[in-house]
Amino acid sequence: MIIDSHVHISLYEDNTKSLEENRDFLLKEMAKNGVNYAIVIPDNIEHLIDIADLKKAIELTKGYKEFFLLGSPQIIQRGSSKVHKYRELMERGIIKGLKFFPGHDPYYPTDERCFPYYSICEKLNLPIVFHTGENSNDSKVSEYNDPKYIVKVAKKYPKLKVIITHYFWPKIEYCYEITKNTPNIYFELAGTADPEVLEKSGGIEKMKKVLEKTVKDRPNQVIFGTDWPMCSIDKQIALVRSLKISDGEKEKIFCKNAVEVYKLQI
Ligand SMILES: [Zn+2]
């Protein structure tokens, strides 16, 4: 079984004309690649026509057992004022955790406006996910999501499951080193098989080494994800399959860890 813990319903890659069509295309891509379930990450900017926000994502995934959702709080626009809304959505099982976009938006993981969200996730034993690393067109964004801040959050909330996605590319070795002694940090792999990410991060062999070390340190805390439609599902599956780790560890990455961490009922 494969769970892709990081997809978007978006028209960014120009492969479909509407978000409904994009969802259907995603289902086909999942079936083609043997992916049974996917966690859809809504954009934190609302009402865009080319990427689903939470309201639209709920509408698009309603009735589909293949899909789960995260929430994406609007820290800049709304501060901490929506904590109750997200708490209720998590308690009702409609969303399985929260994704934060420091860098996309100008705030740091250590921003006090985020703290109430971290507290409720810690209380509900649901994870938070941090977007990290460069954007293809803007390397400055990574100043905001440097894992040195994420380590501070993880230490302040020691029972909180803190997930890093994109491995702070291109500084993957730095990200490994700075996080390695913080036990409640998790890694979700979206983007790590992308050709541009690999090229800028020092190549596929280096990426494999870092991921192998990470799995060795945290066999229960590495989670499969792709960032579809920006990144292809098959390349990401091939990267995980190529790692020098046991079949049991691969099975954990592909599905078991996501089930545990996001408390998925499947
Ligand atoms: Zn993404």
Side-chain angles (χ1 to χ4, degrees):
M1 195 206 303
I2 300 179
I3 301 169
D4 183 342
S5 296
H6 189 143
V7 302
H8 302 278
I9 297 179
S10 99
L11 310 181
Y12 287 178
E13 295 298 303
D14 273 336
N15 46 22
T16 45
K17 295 208 160 38
S18 69
L19 294 174
E20 285 74 14
E21 218 183 281
N22 194 260
R23 172 207 52 210
D24 296 342
F25 185 45
L26 169 57
L27 284 166
K28 273 192 208 137
E29 289 283 296
M30 287 165 63
K32 195 173 92 186
N33 290 290
V35 173
N36 310 72
Y37 299 95
I39 299 178
V40 176
I41 304 184
D43 207 74
N44 58 320
I45 308 298
E46 296 168 295
H47 312 302
L48 297 174
I49 50 162
D50 54 357
I51 186 163
D53 61 11
L54 180 59
K55 191 164 168 264
K56 186 70 184 171
I58 290 174
E59 193 187 306
L60 288 166
T61 58
K62 208 177 173 131
Y64 290 86
K65 62 163 185 34
E66 294 89 344
F67 293 127
F68 298 99
L69 292 170
L70 298 186
S72 306
Q74 291 73 31
I75 302 303
I76 298 297
Q77 302 87 337
R78 308 248 163 78
S80 321
S81 68
K82 294 291 166 184
V83 169
H84 297 293
K85 167 187 156 178
Y86 285 103
R87 180 185 191 131
E88 202 204 317
L89 287 167
M90 286 192 279
E91 283 172 343
R92 289 167 62 201
I94 294 171
I95 58 174
K96 302 293 178 189
L98 298 178
K99 165 96 186 272
F100 293 85
F101 292 82
H104 275 202
D105 283 342
Y107 70 89
Y108 293 92
T110 46
D111 191 308
E112 281 185 11
R113 291 171 290 184
C114 301
F115 292 176
Y117 297 100
Y118 302 161
S119 289
I120 52 162
C121 285
E122 188 177 46
K123 225 171 268 163
L124 297 173
N125 190 28
L126 288 171
I128 58 168
V129 183
F130 284 113
H131 174 87
T132 70
E134 289 186 5
N135 281 10
S136 305
N137 43 11
D138 186 1
S139 63
K140 278 206 194 84
V141 300
S142 62
E143 284 168 24
Y144 286 99
N145 54 51
D146 190 308
K148 70 185 179 192
Y149 303 118
I150 296 173
V151 165
K152 280 190 187 158
V153 170
K155 289 198 162 133
K156 185 172 161 67
Y157 298 90
K159 291 196 181 117
L160 178 62
K161 296 181 276 197
V162 178
I163 305 176
I164 290 175
T165 184
H166 311 316
Y167 225 112
F168 195 54
W169 76 283
K171 297 184 183 157
I172 57 175
E173 187 66 48
Y174 163 76
C175 184
Y176 171 80
E177 287 297 329
I178 201 163
T179 56
K180 87 177 163 193
N181 295 318
T182 309
N184 54 322
I185 285 184
Y186 295 63
F187 286 92
E188 179 261 283
L189 302 178
T192 55
D194 181 72
E196 184 198 347
V197 169
L198 287 173
E199 195 196 315
K200 289 196 181 163
S201 306
I204 191 160
E205 289 310 315
K206 184 172 167 194
M207 180 64 80
K208 277 158 80 169
K209 276 210 180 86
V210 169
L211 295 183
E212 283 159 4
K213 284 196 284 191
T214 310
V215 174
K216 201 161 176 247
D217 296 350
R218 310 172 191 268
N220 302 317
Q221 291 168 242
V222 179
I223 296 166
F224 181 77
T226 63
D227 215 6
W228 189 92
M230 261 90 81
C231 301
S232 76
I233 297 175
D234 56 343
K235 284 197 178 79
Q236 194 67 53
I237 291 176
L239 176 65
V240 173
R241 292 222 167 108
S242 76
L243 297 178
K244 285 192 204 92
I245 56 174
S246 71
D247 287 348
E249 285 163 337
K250 286 178 191 172
E251 203 183 339
K252 282 183 177 186
I253 295 172
F254 278 127
C255 64
K256 284 186 177 166
N257 292 346
V259 170
E260 282 294 311
V261 173
Y262 290 101
K263 300 203 283 183
L264 305 179
Q265 271 144 2
I266 52 177

